[in-house]
Amino acid sequence: MDTHVNILGIPVPKLTMDRSIERVEQMIEQDGQELCHVITLNPEIAMACQHDASLRTIVDEAGLLTADGIGIVMVSRLRGTPLPERVTGCDMLYRLLERGNEKGWSFYLLGANETTSALAADVIRRDYPNVSILGRHHGFFKQEEEGELVEEIRVLKPDVLVVALGAPYAERWIHKYKGVLHAKIAIGVGGSLDVVAGTVPRAPMVWRKLNIEWLFRLLNQPSRWRRQLLLPRFAWKALVYRDK
Ligand code: UDP
């Protein structure tokens, strides 16, 4: 049986959320491994990979790839090679915090604005008391500040580096520094720190179960409509996609 599904030429492993978290846990528990870059593949990244070879290389070199969004899952179903479920960055972050709370994992939070970053750290310390937040930094740093930031993360050696810079900026940033960061895993989580901080609402469970989280986000952040215009184009291209 095939273990991967072809999405616009990108082989996406057939992994449930539980299985993805197990994989991440293995990476964290195994010492001495190189950083595992977790990429939650959404339609925007998949589309950008079609014309951006450097981004495609980043995706190909990911330690773990998951299907971020109902768009990717729907296409896999319609092509007759179904992916089991959505494994989004935001859900992954919450599951990592839960597991991290049981296991005492350490985290570094990078991204979002200063207020949100501080608030997210407070919420995590309150709700996940066994997780240690080794450090955090907002995501609006200058290029000349990156060296110091990378050095800070390198010295702190977090188990999990959470990068909330938006996609694909986060993916590029992690890839650029993954050789020196000394984190066990690094994951781009889009705007999820805003959700953790409570500045952007999280879709209630029923919306998530119905796979209409995208609609909830659109209603709450109408400025996203432009970005969602890409979805029908993605769906069409991915449905008719044939390997060259
Ligand atoms: N962001 C950042 N630095 C930047 C640009 C964006 O830290 O230079 C943060 C922004 O504050 C937000 C997140 O990145 O918290 C992007 O959220 P969005 O929902 O747009 O990302 P997506 O989930 O679509 O990847």
Side-chain angles (χ1 to χ4, degrees):
M1 203 181 78
D2 265 353
T3 53
H4 289 69
V5 171
N6 180 335
I7 300 290
L8 283 175
I10 301 166
V12 181
K14 290 181 182 172
L15 290 177
T16 58
M17 172 60 92
D18 286 347
R19 204 59 205 102
S20 306
I21 293 293
E22 271 170 35
R23 290 256 178 113
V24 168
E25 189 171 340
Q26 280 165 7
M27 316 272 186
I28 293 179
E29 305 288 307
Q30 276 167 20
D31 253 340
Q33 287 282 318
E34 60 180 46
L35 180 147
C36 169
H37 183 185
V38 181
I39 298 185
T40 67
L41 184 80
N42 64 19
E44 277 171 289
I45 303 180
M47 286 290 268
C49 280
Q50 303 308 296
H51 54 80
D52 184 334
S54 68
L55 186 60
R56 178 61 204 260
T57 303
I58 293 172
V59 169
D60 285 342
E61 291 179 1
L64 179 67
L65 197 60
T66 73
D68 188 339
I70 191 59
I72 303 252
V73 174
M74 287 289 276
V75 161
S76 74
R77 287 185 189 151
L78 291 168
R79 284 175 63 98
T81 51
L83 284 161
E85 61 181 341
R86 295 184 310 139
V87 181
T88 69
C90 190
D91 290 336
M92 276 285 261
L93 175 58
Y94 277 105
R95 289 288 299 265
L96 287 172
L97 288 169
E98 278 162 28
R99 201 80 192 105
N101 197 40
E102 288 160 15
K103 296 268 181 174
W105 292 343
S106 59
F107 284 61
Y108 188 101
L109 311 179
L110 172 62
N113 65 40
E114 175 55 25
T115 313
T116 302
S117 164
L119 240 129
D122 287 346
V123 169
I124 293 171
R125 287 193 183 103
R126 185 195 67 203
D127 293 351
Y128 305 92
N130 294 322
V131 159
S132 41
I133 305 286
L134 299 181
R136 61 163 191 90
H137 200 286
H138 63 77
F140 294 88
F141 45 83
K142 299 193 187 81
Q143 212 182 340
E144 55 269 29
E145 294 167 332
E146 278 188 21
E148 212 175 302
L149 181 54
V150 169
E151 180 59 15
E152 175 171 297
I153 300 169
R154 200 183 68 80
V155 170
L156 290 171
K157 297 190 177 65
D159 291 321
V160 182
L161 170 61
V162 173
V163 184
L165 295 173
Y169 178 23
E171 285 65 31
R172 291 190 206 283
W173 201 89
I174 294 169
H175 189 264
K176 183 170 172 193
Y177 294 113
K178 72 180 188 181
V180 288
L181 280 171
H182 283 184
K184 289 187 181 159
I185 74 150
I187 177 169
V189 296
S192 303
L193 288 185
D194 300 72
V195 176
V196 171
T199 47
V200 168
R202 189 180 190 199
M205 186 55 99
V206 58
W207 292 65
R208 281 183 264 150
K209 284 243 152 69
L210 289 170
N211 288 318
I212 50 169
E213 191 167 5
W214 61 272
L215 180 61
F216 183 87
R217 292 184 84 183
L218 184 60
L219 294 173
N220 279 283
Q221 297 168 275
S223 55
R224 298 181 74 89
W225 71 270
R226 235 176 238 288
R227 292 174 54 180
Q228 295 201 348
L229 285 181
L230 171 121
L231 286 173
R233 226 156 24 95
F234 159 77
W236 173 249
K237 268 195 113 156
L239 276 175
V240 301
Y241 182 87
R242 293 281 169 271
D243 273 321
K244 279 144 209 146

